[in-house]
Amino acid sequence: QVQLVESGGGLVQPGGSLRLSCAASGRLGSIYTMGWYRQAPGKQREFVALFFSGGATNYADSVKGRFTISRDNAKNTVYLQMNSLKPDDTAVYYCNRNQGSVHYWGQGTQVTVSS
């Protein structure tokens, strides 16, 4: 089993910044993807950004140039730095780790962008 614990959500004004963290623990494999998805009210969960275990990254077009994913391998933690936030970024953000074709999810953290 893999456990994912997220932190860092909150309320921010448009144009502001937030950083999310996700720490993984448990039976961690060496081949994986790890990243973030989000779900806004009334909408389906959508991909935001992820790391491949080899180091490559991938971003949704809607966040390119504003969000940056990074990781600390020693801490099994990924971060999502979110800049220039917009009201449309308001959602519950979920950490995801996919290893062995099994998806593990965190509990989610609320991000609200509002003036």
Side-chain angles (χ1 to χ4, degrees), residues 98-112:
N98 182 14
Q99 62 182 52
S101 299
V102 177
H103 283 270
Y104 299 93
W105 295 94
Q107 79 281 3
T109 185
Q110 178 70 47
V111 171
T112 302

Side-chain angles (χ1 to χ4, degrees), residues 13 26 47-48 56 58 69 73 93 103 109:
Q13 292 186 341
F47 165 73
V48 176
N58 194 19
I69 191 169
N73 289 331
Y93 284 69
H103 283 270
T109 185

Side-chain angles (χ1 to χ4, degrees), residues 7 13 22 44 52 63 66 76 78 83 92-93 105 112-113:
S7 61
Q13 292 186 341
C22 175
Q44 290 188 332
F52 293 89
V63 306
R66 300 188 299 122
N76 295 313
V78 294
N83 298 328
V92 178
Y93 284 69
W105 295 94
T112 302
V113 185

Side-chain angles (χ1 to χ4, degrees), residues 2-111:
V2 173
Q3 295 79 41
L4 302 173
V5 178
E6 302 132 333
S7 61
L11 172 64
V12 64
Q13 292 186 341
S17 298
L18 281 175
R19 190 176 84 150
L20 306 182
S21 301
C22 175
S25 61
R27 301 186 68 176
L28 303 181
S30 60
I31 307 298
Y32 63 91
T33 63
M34 188 165 171
W36 298 91
Y37 289 71
R38 67 186 181 186
Q39 187 166 17
K43 295 187 177 181
Q44 290 188 332
R45 191 172 297 187
E46 63 176 9
F47 165 73
V48 176
L50 63 76
F51 253 110
F52 293 89
S53 50
T57 58
N58 194 19
Y59 293 91
D61 287 344
S62 59
V63 306
K64 282 181 181 177
R66 300 188 299 122
F67 291 11
T68 302
I69 191 169
S70 61
R71 66 183 181 179
D72 184 332
N73 289 331
K75 296 181 179 179
N76 295 313
T77 298
V78 294
Y79 305 94
L80 186 68
Q81 178 67 43
M82 305 185 292
N83 298 328
S84 302
L85 282 160
K86 307 174 182 179
D88 283 351
D89 295 316
T90 295
V92 178
Y93 284 69
Y94 294 92
C95 182
N96 171 270
R97 184 176 175 105
N98 182 14
Q99 62 182 52
S101 299
V102 177
H103 283 270
Y104 299 93
W105 295 94
Q107 79 281 3
T109 185
Q110 178 70 47
V111 171

